[in-house]
Amino acid sequence: MSAVAWIAMGSLIAWVWLLLGQGFYWRTDQRLPRRTEPVRWPSVAVVVPARDEAEMLPVSLPSLLVQDYPGDARIILVDDCSSDGTGELARELADRFGGLALTVVTPGEPEPGWTGKLWAVRHGIALARRHKPDFLLLTDADIAHEPDSLRDLVAAAGTEGPDGFDLVSQMARLRVESFWERLVVPAFVYFFGQLYPFRRVNRARSRTAAAAGGCVLLRTAAAERARIPESIRQAVIDDVSLAREVRRGGGRIWLGLAERVDSVRPYPRLGDLWRMVARSAYAQLRHNPLLLAGTVPGLLLVYVAPPATLVAGVLTGDGAAAWAGGAAWAVMTATYLPMLSYYQQSVWLGPLLPFTAVLYLLMTVDSAVQHHRGRGAAWKGRTYARPEAAPDR
């Protein structure tokens, strides 16, 4: 066989393994477990870190205030040094909509060794613990919940013990309205599932741990055992780090796709999506140049080689290259279709996954470049350097 045919065959083998050996990551059937509602509903404190979120709050915060929850529940919004009146707007919305009790606090700038979001979460959890809640719901200020969302989350967690979950997280359905959102967003969730297959995460004794930071219901006792958030105070990808610590502390976790929890933040332009991905892409590679050097050819082999070798095989009359490249592209497209269906997008976006993967590869390289220039992990006016071991306080 020619060199091109060998490359195509290598890509096909990789896709067959991904199809069958990576926890069936491409399936989208991991949805919130349905359980019998408890006789006594546990108490819940909802912690919402918010920095310059005045644009999002009118959509997201009322959805929390009007939660139909039978037990005791309260909301703590942590205004993380906002400059757009986030805290004042939150109080106005609480006065207008009523519902769950809302407390707004402002902790000030984060101490060295803390990311801004986790500094805000720390103060929110500390305030919540005064009320001794059974659960903490950590949710972002751009996440809107259906009225029964909290009720369903708590019921899914079940009772404390081997049959219950210490962490229940849902990947909020992201917005897909603009051209770039349709092209990039479903792939974002697809790639996340490829890295952290939900079925594997949800196995009781699995070594794979992940969560989706926009919606995390956490049993308070598990948070205390795992020293959340102190144990992850420098994490840029805080949701995955949180899940790892909970699992390391003996907790049982569950992660799935949401049906009644939505992100309302728009990313209408490619630049918006680029910044969203690039701010943490290099952190996913542990800020390691060697991992980046291995990732680039790996992604090219898996995602770019199938269409490239198909075209080359057709143009040169190399039947083996064309057949293997086409088969690999077909398998790739087939694994992407369930995610496109979940997002109610056209199946014709499936064959474009190689192009989207190249965009993600460029975002990752840009993330590494910005990091080494001292501008990595920049978000809302803050830049976080490579995390080092922070001293225990």
Side-chain angles (χ1 to χ4, degrees):
M1 290 195 303
S2 67
V4 174
W6 278 113
I7 293 173
M9 188 59 68
S11 182
L12 177 58
I13 292 171
W15 275 108
V16 171
W17 180 83
L18 286 169
L19 176 68
L20 302 176
Q22 185 61 0
F24 294 98
Y25 74 93
W26 43 270
R27 296 185 60 171
T28 57
D29 57 351
Q30 295 298 287
R31 306 298 174 88
L32 199 64
R34 300 297 177 184
R35 296 180 185 243
T36 304
E37 294 187 346
V39 176
R40 184 193 71 83
W41 287 90
S43 56
V44 183
V46 182
V47 178
V48 185
R51 178 173 171 84
D52 293 334
E53 295 287 6
E55 184 179 356
M56 298 293 103
L57 283 185
V59 182
S60 62
L61 186 56
S63 75
L64 289 172
L65 291 168
V66 301
Q67 282 296 300
D68 177 21
Y69 186 68
D72 178 66
R74 64 189 67 243
I75 303 170
I76 300 170
L77 186 138
V78 187
D79 182 6
D80 182 14
C81 302
S82 299
S83 59
D84 64 352
T86 288
E88 293 80 1
L89 176 58
R91 294 185 183 93
E92 292 174 7
L93 291 169
D95 291 339
R96 187 189 314 168
F97 286 92
L100 301 186
L102 173 73
T103 302
V104 178
V105 294
T106 304
E109 289 291 337
E111 292 182 358
W114 286 83
T115 64
K117 177 180 177 179
L118 290 173
W119 178 251
V121 168
R122 174 181 183 263
H123 283 265
I125 290 179
L127 182 57
R129 282 175 176 159
R130 298 179 186 177
H131 303 280
K132 299 180 179 179
D134 299 301
F135 283 96
L136 302 163
L137 174 61
L138 310 180
T139 186
D140 291 343
D142 61 352
I143 301 297
H145 296 252
E146 290 295 322
D148 56 357
S149 171
L150 181 56
R151 185 179 190 134
D152 289 346
L153 283 165
V154 172
T159 58
E160 191 169 10
D163 294 328
F165 294 107
D166 295 293
L167 183 155
V168 175
S169 180
Q170 294 188 92
M171 175 73 74
R173 198 188 300 261
L174 305 176
R175 200 186 90 142
V176 283
E177 295 184 11
S178 72
F179 167 77
W180 289 110
E181 286 171 337
R182 291 188 177 97
L183 185 69
V184 173
V185 165
F188 175 82
V189 183
Y190 172 88
F191 293 142
F192 183 90
Q194 194 175 71
L195 286 172
Y196 307 103
F198 291 4
R199 286 169 168 264
R200 194 171 288 172
V201 168
N202 297 341
R203 292 177 191 163
R205 288 176 289 277
S206 173
R207 297 175 62 183
T208 303
C215 178
V216 177
L217 183 74
L218 179 60
R219 206 177 294 272
T220 305
E224 292 173 351
R225 288 195 301 269
R227 297 177 54 245
I228 302 297
E230 285 78 9
S231 60
I232 59 170
R233 58 190 178 276
Q234 287 189 307
V236 175
I237 309 177
D238 53 89
D239 44 11
V240 173
S241 299
L242 186 154
R244 286 174 178 164
E245 291 301 314
V246 171
R247 173 151 280 169
R248 188 174 292 129
R252 189 179 176 197
I253 65 178
W254 184 91
L255 170 65
L257 294 172
E259 295 178 309
R260 303 176 65 75
V261 178
D262 299 284
S263 172
V264 296
R265 189 181 301 281
Y267 294 97
R269 296 174 294 275
L270 177 59
D272 302 319
L273 289 158
W274 193 291
R275 287 186 291 273
M276 185 267 289
V277 174
R279 70 187 175 95
S280 61
Y282 196 39
Q284 186 67 60
L285 299 177
R286 305 172 191 170
H287 303 96
N288 188 325
L290 293 179
L291 286 178
L292 177 64
T295 296
V296 172
L299 286 179
L300 292 175
L301 173 66
V302 173
Y303 287 100
V304 178
T309 55
L310 170 61
V311 172
V314 170
L315 293 178
T316 62
D318 188 337
W323 175 86
W329 197 2
V331 174
M332 179 201 314
T333 301
T335 64
Y336 191 36
L337 293 182
M339 188 60 68
L340 289 175
S341 176
Y342 170 72
Y343 272 99
Q344 300 178 344
Q345 298 302 303
S346 170
V347 297
W348 296 109
L349 288 172
L352 295 181
L353 187 58
F355 173 72
T356 308
V358 170
L359 287 178
Y360 273 90
L361 179 58
L362 294 175
M363 293 172 190
T364 303
V365 172
D366 180 54
S367 178
V369 170
Q370 296 306 318
H371 169 80
H372 289 291
R373 288 179 176 176
R375 299 197 297 268
W379 190 247
K380 294 191 176 181
R382 291 187 179 127
T383 300
Y384 303 109
R386 176 178 179 173
E388 304 294 345
D392 288 331
R393 293 178 59 81

